[in-house]
């Protein structure tokens, strides 16, 4: 989003997928008058049985799979025109190119992506694979037949796809304390993603969230840089252990994000309506290296992440005085000197969504600054034509060097060769039937159970007896949309009982304890007489990014919202949640409260006294039965807090190691039970 725009006004940039008007295409189409080669005509190539063009290998070295990747890259680079190179640096949104079969070919695009909610019709695994292959067929009609790489936000599963396995968000995975489990999870995510076409996941997020008022806190494994660094193993889950693994049908290119410091921004420093997201990290270089940069060292040097995505946030170094922040997308020191130089990153840097649009100056200055800072590919979803035209002009004017262009394209081509796209450009559908399979959902269920953190358990209330008379209440007990959170079917996610396939927590209770007598009342209005124990499930409703900032703007633009703005974001429980806890826990002698949320929620002392058992359930995703597993002792509670749980919102930011550290429940807290 542009700095001059309120996030409220520019939300459509991330979620609207209207086709670019023909007039705009014609206005920006390559012509020699602006120094761009005329649009290429479609070249005729041999086709397969599906009438898709095949790569014609007539002896070109870059198509010789027996040669080292480096030699193939240099051969191809030497054959490319400047226009073809700039095309490789450009990524467009599928909605801007879906209705015109010539756009990918004409603009020689290097990549296409699906933003949140940008999906084919119908939204099925087969349709996804067909869609991606359709774009690939367009790419293979270009002169050099360079395949595209397709990217998608598989941040807790292939969340855009209806029917994919939806895992807990990172805040819950961090509470498992089990990097090997997360590696297994991301392998499944990679399998479901690549089987449906995309070869690239914009994940994992290895940010260190230092203030839970941030709307992206749930994307962070932990407030502890040491713990986040351990979970950089997620990259290995996506990509495999060795470079050769990238060619496999169950692996994708990873993207470590958001480089760097996005979880450490100061409250009140953000632009527009946001309060903390995309704000300013005020720090010195020593602390930055210790807190914000640390996970990227392992991401690059140990796990060899294929791509890195810069943050929307800014850095303001205290060494030279406060007040002159630098946007990360403009930060040559951190992108080129530190990431590519000191850390030795040899993949490519992909901008965030219109990331350069937030830089100072006109569009030409934004493009020039972004490229010269070291970004290699640019996520320009609906302005990709203008980007190409502008960058070509900047190179020809000498303001961007040919060497910088060659470096960017060399990095991009290297990953395309390593992915095996020149040998197998179309989707390998071997694992298509595994999308949302029972085996994958069983892994998600295991992750859910291990992510649950038992904060309080007075009198050993949990685990419950499987024949108990259980009164279930609260708006998050039977709402799979709420328990999945943001980045699920759409950018912001949405509430809904059966929004995606899977089980709500209530479903899970009924499955795990079929002998229990279950009464369900969302608002606690049903009679409580005769109940042994209450399970009240409260917490947050879905949000993403700055729309989740405490004190930030409200969202209400999904069709499912009906134009109604969503509730204000707060660290305190919403009034309705407080009321149902008071009502039910006041009426039933034994009461367990489950908090389904993307961050800790403040429980006042007077209310905590009425609660016998308190559980941080985080955002468990599609398999609510994993929550029931620990409630009824099928599995033990083993989770530990990955983020400190504050006594009050006024304590934020609060993190382990702070002076006068006094949370309600400290980092690493978690009571244990014994499973059956």
């Amino acid at each position: 989003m542009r700095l001059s725009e309120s996030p409220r006004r520019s939300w459509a940039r991330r979620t609207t997928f209207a086709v670019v008007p023909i007039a705009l295409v014609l206005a920006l189409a390559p012509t020699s008058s602006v120094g761009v080669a005329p649009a290429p005509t479609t070249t005729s190539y041999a086709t397969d049985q599906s009438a898709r063009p095949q790569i014609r290998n007539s002896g070109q070295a870059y198509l010789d799979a027996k040669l080292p990747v480096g030699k193939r890259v240099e051969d191809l680079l030497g054959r490319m025109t400047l226009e073809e190179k700039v095309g490789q640096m450009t990524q467009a949104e599928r909605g801007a190119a879906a209705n015109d079969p010539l756009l990918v070919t004409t603009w020689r695009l290097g990549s296409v992506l699906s933003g949140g909610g940008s999906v084919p019709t119908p939204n099925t695994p087969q349709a996804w694979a067909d869609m991606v292959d359709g774009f690939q067929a367009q790419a293979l009609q270009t002169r050099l037949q360079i395949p595209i790489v397709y990217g998608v936000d598989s941040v807790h599963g292939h969340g855009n796809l209806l029917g994919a396995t939806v895992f807990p968000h990172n805040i819950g995975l961090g509470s498992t304390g089990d990097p090997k489990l997360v590696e297994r999870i991301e392998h499944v995510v990679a399998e479901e993603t690549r089987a449906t076409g995309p070869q690239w996941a914009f994940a994992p997020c290895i940010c260190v969230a230092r203030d839970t008022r941030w709307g992206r806190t749930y994307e962070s494994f932990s407030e502890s840089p040491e713990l986040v660094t351990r979970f950089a193993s997620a990259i290995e889950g996506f990509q495999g252990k060795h470079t050769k693994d990238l060619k496999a049908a169950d692996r994708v290119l990873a993207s470590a994000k958001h480089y760097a410091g996005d979880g450490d921004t100061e409250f009140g420093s953000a632009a527009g309506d946001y309060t903390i997201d995309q704000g300013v990290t005020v720090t010195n270089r020593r602390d930055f290296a210790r807190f914000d940069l640390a996970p990227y060292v392992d991401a690059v040097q140990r796990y060899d992440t294929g791509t890195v995505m810069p943050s929307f946030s800014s850095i303001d170094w205290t060494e030279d005085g406060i007040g002159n922040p630098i946007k990360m997308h403009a930060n040559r020191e951190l992108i080129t000197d530190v990431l590519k130089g000191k850390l030795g990153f040899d993949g490519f840097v992909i901008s965030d969504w219109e990331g350069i649009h937030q830089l100072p100056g006109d569009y030409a200055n934004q493009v020039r600054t972004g490229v010269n800072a070291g970004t290699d590919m640019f996520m320009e979803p609906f302005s990709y034509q203008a980007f190409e035209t502008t960058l070509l002009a900047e190179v020809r004017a000498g303001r961007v060097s040919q060497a910088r262009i060659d470096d960017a394209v060399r990095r991009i081509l290297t990953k395309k060769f390593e992915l095996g796209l020149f040998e197998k450009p179309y989707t390998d559908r071997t694992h298509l039937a595994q999308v949302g399979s029972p085996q994958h959902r069983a892994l998600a269920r295991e992750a859910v159970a291990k992510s649950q953190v038992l904060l309080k358990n007075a009198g050993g209330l949990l685990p419950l007896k499987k024949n108990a008379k259980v009164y279930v209440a609260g708006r998050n007990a039977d709402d799979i949309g709420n328990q999945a959170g943001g980045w699920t079917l759409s950018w912001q996610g949405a509430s809904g009982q059966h929004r995606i396939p899977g089980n709500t927590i209530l479903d899970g209770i009924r499955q795990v304890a079929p002998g229990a007598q279950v009464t369900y009342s969302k608002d606690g209005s049903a009679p409580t007489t005769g109940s042994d124990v209450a399970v009240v499930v409260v917490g947050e409703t879905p949000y993403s990014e700055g729309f989740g900032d405490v004190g930030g703007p409200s969202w209400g633009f999904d069709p499912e919202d009906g134009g109604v703005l969503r509730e204000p974001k707060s660290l305190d429980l919403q009034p309705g949640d407080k009321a149902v806890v008071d009502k039910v826990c006041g009426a039933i002698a034994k009461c367990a409260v489950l908090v389904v949320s993307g961050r800790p929620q403040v429980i006042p002392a007077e209310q905590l006294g009425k609660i016998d058992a308190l559980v941080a359930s985080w955002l468990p995703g599609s398999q609510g039965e994993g929550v029931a597993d620990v409630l009824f002792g099928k599995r033990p509670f083993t989770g530990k807090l990955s983020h400190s749980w504050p006594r009050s919102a006024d304590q934020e930011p609060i993190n382990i190691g702070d002076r006068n550290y006094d949370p309600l429940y400290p980092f690493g807290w978690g009571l244990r039970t014994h499973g059956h």
Side-chain angles (χ1 to χ4, degrees):
M1 283 168 278
R2 296 180 187 270
L3 280 174
S4 59
E5 293 179 305
S6 158
R8 189 194 306 276
R9 293 177 52 214
S10 57
W11 64 272
R13 296 185 179 277
R14 206 172 190 101
T15 54
T16 301
F17 308 108
V19 178
V20 175
I22 291 296
L24 177 59
V25 173
L26 294 176
L28 295 174
T31 62
S32 56
S33 64
V34 292
V36 185
T41 56
T42 300
T43 305
S44 178
Y45 295 104
T47 59
D48 62 11
Q49 60 185 5
S50 300
R52 303 175 305 191
Q54 299 295 287
I55 292 179
R56 181 175 60 197
N57 188 341
S58 52
Q60 303 97 317
Y62 74 91
L63 295 179
D64 185 350
K66 296 179 181 179
L67 290 177
V69 166
K71 289 188 176 181
R72 299 178 72 184
V73 169
E74 293 307 316
D75 178 73
L76 177 53
L77 195 63
R79 299 170 186 266
M80 296 174 71
T81 65
L82 178 59
E83 291 81 4
E84 288 165 334
K85 293 174 181 178
V86 167
Q88 285 302 299
M89 296 173 66
T90 309
Q91 183 182 65
E93 219 291 324
R94 61 156 290 280
N99 287 1
D100 187 336
L102 293 179
L103 287 175
V104 173
T105 309
T106 301
W107 293 89
R108 314 166 185 88
L109 292 175
S111 181
V112 178
L113 85 150
S114 280
S118 181
V119 301
T121 301
N123 186 5
T124 64
Q126 182 74 36
W128 269 88
D130 291 345
M131 174 189 70
V132 174
D133 284 353
F135 286 122
Q136 195 66 278
Q138 295 178 40
L140 296 191
Q141 294 183 71
T142 56
R143 182 177 71 93
L144 295 172
Q145 295 190 285
I146 304 174
I148 61 162
V149 56
Y150 198 102
V152 67
D153 283 289
S154 293
V155 297
H156 67 140
H158 187 2
N160 266 341
L161 169 63
L162 181 63
T165 309
V166 178
F167 291 89
H169 272 293
N170 286 354
I171 192 169
L173 296 181
S175 293
T176 69
D178 190 347
K180 288 295 183 183
L181 171 66
V182 172
E183 187 179 328
R184 289 165 55 207
I185 287 169
E186 304 304 13
H187 189 183
V188 164
V189 176
E191 181 179 313
E192 293 197 3
T193 300
R194 192 149 187 180
T196 60
Q199 314 94 350
W200 182 11
F202 301 133
C205 183
I206 54 173
C207 55
V208 182
R210 305 288 291 174
D211 189 327
T212 60
R213 292 173 293 185
W214 185 34
R216 304 189 81 144
T217 297
Y218 65 76
E219 296 187 51
S220 172
F221 289 112
S222 179
E223 69 189 37
S224 162
E226 291 81 13
L227 187 56
V228 174
T229 298
R230 289 178 60 203
F231 281 100
S233 63
I235 294 166
E236 203 161 273
F238 284 119
Q239 296 186 166
K241 293 183 181 297
H242 307 287
T243 300
K244 64 181 181 180
D245 294 337
L246 276 175
K247 295 182 179 180
D250 59 351
R251 299 293 184 180
V252 294
L253 198 64
S255 185
K257 65 182 189 182
H258 303 90
Y259 182 82
D262 55 335
D264 203 11
T265 57
E266 292 198 346
F267 190 83
S269 67
D273 294 342
Y274 294 174
T275 56
I276 189 168
D277 188 44
Q278 305 185 19
V280 181
T281 301
V282 180
T283 187
N284 58 65
R285 286 173 172 79
R286 180 179 178 181
D287 286 344
F288 178 81
R290 188 160 61 104
F291 291 110
D292 306 310
L293 186 63
Y296 291 92
V297 177
D298 272 28
V300 170
Q301 297 181 348
R302 182 175 180 181
Y303 298 112
D304 195 25
T305 182
T307 68
V308 169
M309 181 183 292
S311 171
F312 281 122
S313 59
S314 304
I315 295 289
D316 193 348
W317 301 120
T318 57
E319 288 95 336
D320 58 5
I322 298 173
N324 55 341
I326 304 172
K327 276 286 182 183
M328 190 58 64
H329 279 79
N331 202 316
R332 179 180 172 85
E333 174 192 355
L334 290 177
I335 295 176
T336 296
D337 299 344
V338 174
L339 179 65
K340 293 181 174 179
K342 184 177 180 180
L343 298 186
F345 174 61
D346 60 3
F348 69 89
V349 176
I350 170 71
S351 82
D352 207 335
W353 182 281
E354 295 185 342
I356 60 171
H357 293 208
Q358 298 191 2
L359 303 184
D362 60 15
Y363 189 59
N365 186 73
Q366 292 168 343
V367 170
R368 176 170 66 251
T369 301
V371 175
N372 287 336
T375 296
D376 303 304
M377 182 182 284
F378 291 79
M379 192 183 293
E380 289 292 292
F382 301 104
S383 51
Y384 61 92
Q385 302 104 324
F387 172 79
E388 289 193 24
T389 302
T390 302
L391 180 52
L392 283 164
E394 290 299 300
V395 175
R396 292 196 165 108
R399 292 184 287 267
V400 174
S401 71
Q402 182 70 57
R404 172 77 271 270
I405 298 297
D406 286 351
D407 172 62
V409 178
R410 183 177 290 111
R411 290 168 177 270
I412 294 165
L413 293 178
T414 297
K415 293 306 168 186
K416 290 188 174 185
F417 279 114
E418 289 175 355
L419 282 163
L421 297 180
F422 285 84
E423 286 71 53
K424 293 183 178 181
Y426 297 112
T427 303
D428 184 332
R429 309 187 187 202
T430 302
H431 302 292
L432 204 64
Q434 289 300 307
V435 175
S437 67
Q439 296 89 342
H440 290 181
R441 293 187 182 277
L443 179 61
R445 178 176 182 170
E446 176 187 348
V448 172
K450 290 183 175 179
S451 72
Q452 303 297 292
V453 181
L454 183 56
L455 302 175
K456 178 181 179 181
N457 195 26
L461 176 60
L462 299 180
L464 302 175
K465 295 179 179 179
K466 291 190 176 181
N467 62 352
K469 297 176 182 178
V470 185
Y471 188 99
V472 181
R475 62 176 177 166
N476 284 353
D478 197 29
D479 193 309
I480 205 166
N482 286 356
Q483 70 187 45
W487 297 107
T488 309
L489 292 189
S490 63
W491 175 33
Q492 293 291 316
S495 301
Q497 182 184 16
H498 299 299
R499 190 167 186 264
I500 59 173
N503 294 302
T504 66
I505 293 172
L506 178 63
D507 293 334
I509 289 172
R510 288 171 170 158
Q511 287 181 23
V512 172
Q517 297 181 42
V518 178
T519 299
Y520 170 61
S521 177
K522 182 177 181 179
D523 61 0
S525 60
T528 59
T529 305
S531 298
D532 299 327
V533 62
V535 175
V536 186
V537 191
V538 295
E540 295 186 302
T541 53
Y543 55 81
S544 290
E545 300 189 36
F547 288 99
D549 284 357
V550 169
S554 295
W555 177 265
F557 304 104
D558 277 352
E560 295 155 280
D561 292 331
V564 178
L565 295 180
R566 298 187 184 182
E567 63 193 23
K569 301 303 177 289
S570 172
L571 293 189
D572 297 312
L573 289 178
Q574 295 292 324
D577 283 344
K578 290 180 180 178
V580 74
V581 170
D582 287 340
K583 184 175 184 178
V584 176
C585 293
I588 300 176
K590 299 295 183 182
C591 186
V593 172
L594 279 55
V595 182
V596 172
S597 63
R599 53 191 159 207
Q601 297 284 276
V602 172
I603 311 294
E606 61 274 14
Q607 195 167 51
L608 186 60
K610 304 174 186 177
I611 299 170
D612 298 286
L614 180 64
V615 179
S617 290
W618 307 122
L619 297 172
S622 59
Q623 306 312 127
E625 66 270 34
V627 177
D629 284 339
V630 291
L631 284 181
F632 289 91
K634 185 170 183 178
R635 286 181 177 270
F637 275 98
T638 58
K640 305 290 184 183
L641 283 180
S642 54
H643 293 71
S644 302
W645 196 284
R647 295 180 183 275
S648 71
D650 294 338
Q651 285 189 308
E652 287 292 344
I654 182 171
N655 298 286
I656 184 69
D658 288 351
R659 185 178 302 173
N660 302 319
Y661 180 69
D662 184 32
L664 180 62
Y665 298 109
F667 170 83
W669 176 267
L671 303 174
R672 296 182 67 96
T673 59
H674 298 287
H676 298 318

